[in-house]
Amino acid sequence: MPQQKSVNALLASSHLFAPLTEDQRAALADICHIVPRFRGEVIFVEGEEAAGLHIVVKGKVKISRIAPDGREAVLHVFGAGELFGEVAVFQGSRFPATAECVEAGASLFLPRREFLLNIERDPALAFSLLAAMSLRLRAFAAKVESLTLKGIPQRLAAYFLLALREREAQGGEKRGELRLDISKALLAGVLGTARETLSRCLGRMAEQGILSVDGRKVRILDRGFLEDLAKGAKNL
Amino acid sequence: MPQQKSVNALLASSHLFAPLTEDQRAALADICHIVPRFRGEVIFVEGEEAAGLHIVVKGKVKISRIAPDGREAVLHVFGAGELFGEVAVFQGSRFPATAECVEAGASLFLPRREFLLNIERDPALAFSLLAAMSLRLRAFAAKVESLTLKGIPQRLAAYFLLALREREAQGGEKRGELRLDISKALLAGVLGTARETLSRCLGRMAEQGILSVDGRKVRILDRGFLEDLAKGAKNL
DNA sequence: CGAGCCGTTGATATCACTCAAACTACGTGG
DNA sequence: CCACGTAGTTTGAGTGATATCAACGGCTCG
C-alpha cells in the first residue's frame, strides 16, 4: 500500500494521535482509508447507522442538527486534525447529527470494529480519546452558556477574541488583523443566529469604530471594547 | 473498612460500572470515599483545581455556569448513579462549571490519580467512560439544538415527552400522570428561560386543555398536541 | 414568628426573527 | 462582450416572543 506511509504522517500531525508511539500509529494507519471530500458533500446524516469515525485531513466539516422545517443548528465546524462521528462508535450506534463538507479537502475513515480493538490494546489511545471528548464537552458547555445568557453582539465579540488568541498563539497574522476562515452565513449559524442579524451586528460595530470589515478581512480597532462586550460590561 | 462493602454495592448499581467484574469494582471501591451532601452545598466551582471526580449516590446535583452578573446557565441536573466533574480529570485539570447540590443526599469521590491508574489497567472501564461521555455529548447536542431553534413551549413539550417516556420505560406512574422531580424554578433554568416565562407557558397549556398542573403533579391530557408542539407543527 | 424560597401575575420594552428586495462578485456559456 | 445564474451579503420594515422589573401570596424551615 503506497499511501499508508503518508497516512501515518497525517495521523502523527493530529494532536489526537501525537502521544502514540510509531508502532501504535502504524497499526491505526493500517485500518483507515483516506477519502476526498468536495464542498457540499454530505458525509453522514443524523440517525444513520455509524460504521466508524472520521478525521478531517484538509478542508472543513460542519456538524449540525436539522429541524423538520429545514432550519439548522450548527454544533461545530471542524478543521484539519479534528475527529468527528465518534459518539456513535461508543454509544448508540447512530449518528446524533449531520456532517457536511463546507470546504473541499479530505478525511480519514476508521472502521468501528478495528478501532475499538486498538483502544482495547492501548490505554494511551483511550486517554487521547477521553481528552478529546472532554475538550468537546468544554466547548459545548461554553456554547450552551452563550446561547442561554448572551446576546448576539456578545457572542460575536467572544468569537473574535477567541480567533485573535488562536492566531496570536500560532504567530500568524498581523496585529489586530483577522481573516475569517468560514463564510459569514456559516458564522451566523455558529453563533446561533440569522445571516441578517450578524450583518447588522457587524455594521453597528463598524459604525462605532470597534472594527472594520472588508470581505473576510476583519481589522480589530478597539479590542478593549470587545472584551468588555464579551463580559457583558458594555453594550452596543 | 466496614463501609466499603456498601460502596461496592453502590458502584454496581451505577450502570457506569455495571459492566465491570466484581474484582474491578472492588479496586475502585478501595479508592473512593462517600460524602454526605446537603441542599445548597456547593461541591465545586468553575475554575477550581480538580482533585478527582464525583458520582451521585442520592439526591440531585445541578451543574451550571455563572456569568459575572450572577445569571446562570444550567447545563445538567444529575441524579443517582450519574458521574460529574470528570472533564477536568482528562483535560485541563480545572472544572469548566460549578456543581451545587439541589436535593440532599450523598456522593462518591474518586481521586484523580488512582482513578487514572484503574483505567489504564482496565479497558472495560475506559469503554464505560467513553460511552458515558458520548451520552453526555448527545445530551448537549440536543440542548444546543433546542436553544438555537426552539421556543419555550416547544422545549417544555419536549421535556414532558422525554419524562413521560422515561417513566413508562420504568413502569412507574399512572398513565399521563407525571411528578416533576425538580422545582419549577430549576426546570426553568434547565429549559434556559426565566421562572416567570415557564409559569406563563404552563398557564397557557392548562388553558388550552393540554395538561393540568397541581403543584409538582402534572397530568398530560393531550399528548398528541405536545408531540406536535415539540416537532414545531403547532404553536400555542 | 420571621426569613427565604417558590410560584404567580401584570406591565413594559427590546432584541432578534421573518419576510422581502436589491446588490455584489464570480464564473459560465452564448 | 454580455446575459445569466448562483452564492454571498446587505438593508429595510414589521412583528412577536421573551426578558425584565415589580409586586404579591403561600409555603417551609429554623
Side-chain angles (χ1 to χ4, degrees):
Chain A
M1 295 195 188
Q3 76 171 27
Q4 290 306 359
K5 190 178 167 190
S6 67
V7 168
N8 199 326
L10 289 173
L11 290 176
S13 72
S14 168
H15 59 86
L16 229 183
F17 303 113
L20 302 185
T21 68
E22 191 67 24
D23 285 353
Q24 290 167 336
R25 271 199 302 275
L28 283 176
D30 276 345
I31 65 166
C32 69
H33 316 275
I34 189 162
V35 187
R37 300 292 184 185
F38 55 86
R39 178 188 163 78
E41 178 179 0
V42 174
I43 299 172
F44 54 75
V45 298
E46 183 179 343
E48 191 179 307
E49 195 72 28
L53 56 77
H54 304 258
I55 298 169
V56 180
V57 169
K58 189 168 178 296
K60 298 214 173 294
V61 174
K62 170 183 76 181
I63 311 294
S64 63
R65 288 186 138 218
I66 301 178
D69 65 357
R71 302 192 316 138
E72 78 170 342
V74 178
L75 303 178
H76 310 278
V77 176
F78 289 134
E82 300 189 280
L83 89 164
F84 62 100
E86 81 287 359
V87 162
V89 167
F90 301 113
Q91 204 275 334
S93 89
R94 287 177 188 279
F95 291 116
T98 297
E100 178 191 330
C101 174
V102 290
E103 184 189 306
S107 65
L108 287 176
F109 174 76
L110 293 97
R112 180 187 165 127
R113 269 185 65 84
E114 288 83 347
F115 187 66
L116 289 175
L117 285 174
N118 272 274
I119 298 173
E120 196 160 9
R121 262 190 243 117
D122 187 352
L125 183 53
F127 281 125
S128 266
L129 280 164
L130 286 167
M133 291 177 85
S134 295
L135 204 59
R136 195 76 41 95
L137 285 166
R138 278 179 192 275
F140 264 134
K143 188 155 194 130
V144 168
E145 180 192 0
S146 83
L147 287 171
T148 305
L149 24 95
K150 292 181 183 168
I152 307 297
Q154 301 170 331
R155 291 182 217 166
L156 182 55
Y159 180 88
F160 281 142
L161 290 170
L162 191 68
L164 272 178
R165 269 177 244 128
E166 271 176 16
R167 305 300 195 277
E168 281 163 4
Q170 292 164 15
E173 344 220 333
K174 293 176 201 159
R175 168 161 170 58
E177 193 112 351
L178 187 55
R179 235 200 128 65
L180 298 179
D181 58 353
I182 53 177
S183 78
K184 288 181 190 158
L186 183 50
L187 175 55
V190 170
L191 297 180
T193 187
R195 286 163 276 130
E196 300 97 313
T197 306
L198 172 61
S199 182
R200 276 185 253 274
C201 192
L202 281 171
R204 261 179 295 154
M205 284 178 168
E207 224 172 65
Q208 307 209 7
I210 302 169
L211 47 74
S212 68
V213 185
D214 172 28
R216 285 200 176 183
K217 258 204 317 256
V218 179
R219 182 187 295 270
I220 307 295
L221 303 171
D222 187 349
R223 189 166 175 166
F225 202 116
L226 283 186
E227 265 148 13
D228 289 346
L229 249 183
K231 272 184 257 163
K234 284 193 186 177
N235 220 319
L236 282 188
Chain B
M1 295 194 190
Q3 76 171 30
Q4 290 306 359
K5 190 180 166 191
S6 66
V7 168
N8 200 326
L10 288 174
L11 289 177
S13 73
S14 167
H15 58 87
L16 229 183
F17 303 114
L20 302 185
T21 67
E22 191 67 24
D23 285 353
Q24 290 167 337
R25 271 199 301 274
L28 283 175
D30 276 346
I31 65 167
C32 69
H33 316 275
I34 188 161
V35 187
R37 302 292 183 185
F38 55 88
R39 177 188 164 81
E41 179 179 0
V42 173
I43 300 172
F44 55 75
V45 299
E46 182 178 343
E48 191 179 306
E49 195 73 27
L53 56 77
H54 305 258
I55 299 169
V56 180
V57 169
K58 190 167 177 295
K60 298 214 173 296
V61 174
K62 170 182 76 180
I63 312 293
S64 63
R65 287 186 140 218
I66 301 178
D69 66 357
R71 302 192 315 139
E72 78 170 344
V74 178
L75 302 179
H76 310 278
V77 176
F78 290 133
E82 300 190 278
L83 88 165
F84 61 101
E86 81 288 359
V87 162
V89 167
F90 301 112
Q91 203 274 335
S93 88
R94 287 176 187 281
F95 291 115
T98 297
E100 179 191 331
C101 174
V102 291
E103 185 189 307
S107 64
L108 288 176
F109 174 76
L110 293 97
R112 181 188 165 127
R113 268 186 64 85
E114 288 81 349
F115 187 65
L116 289 175
L117 285 174
N118 272 274
I119 298 173
E120 196 161 10
R121 261 190 246 118
D122 187 351
L125 183 52
F127 282 126
S128 267
L129 280 164
L130 287 167
M133 292 176 83
S134 295
L135 204 58
R136 196 76 42 94
L137 285 167
R138 280 180 191 273
F140 264 133
K143 188 154 194 129
V144 168
E145 181 192 0
S146 83
L147 287 171
T148 304
L149 24 96
K150 293 182 183 167
I152 307 296
Q154 301 170 331
R155 291 181 217 166
L156 183 55
Y159 180 89
F160 281 142
L161 290 171
L162 191 67
L164 272 178
R165 269 177 244 129
E166 271 176 15
R167 306 299 195 279
E168 281 164 3
Q170 292 163 18
E173 344 222 332
K174 293 176 201 158
R175 168 163 168 61
E177 193 112 353
L178 187 55
R179 236 200 128 65
L180 298 178
D181 57 353
I182 54 177
S183 77
K184 287 181 191 157
L186 184 50
L187 175 54
V190 170
L191 298 180
T193 188
R195 285 167 273 129
E196 299 97 313
T197 306
L198 172 61
S199 182
R200 276 185 255 273
C201 192
L202 281 171
R204 260 177 296 156
M205 284 178 169
E207 222 173 68
Q208 307 209 6
I210 302 169
L211 46 74
S212 67
V213 184
D214 173 29
R216 285 200 175 183
K217 259 205 314 255
V218 179
R219 183 187 296 267
I220 307 296
L221 303 171
D222 187 349
R223 188 166 177 167
F225 202 116
L226 282 186
E227 265 148 13
D228 289 346
L229 249 183
K231 273 185 256 164
K234 284 193 185 175
N235 221 318
L236 280 188

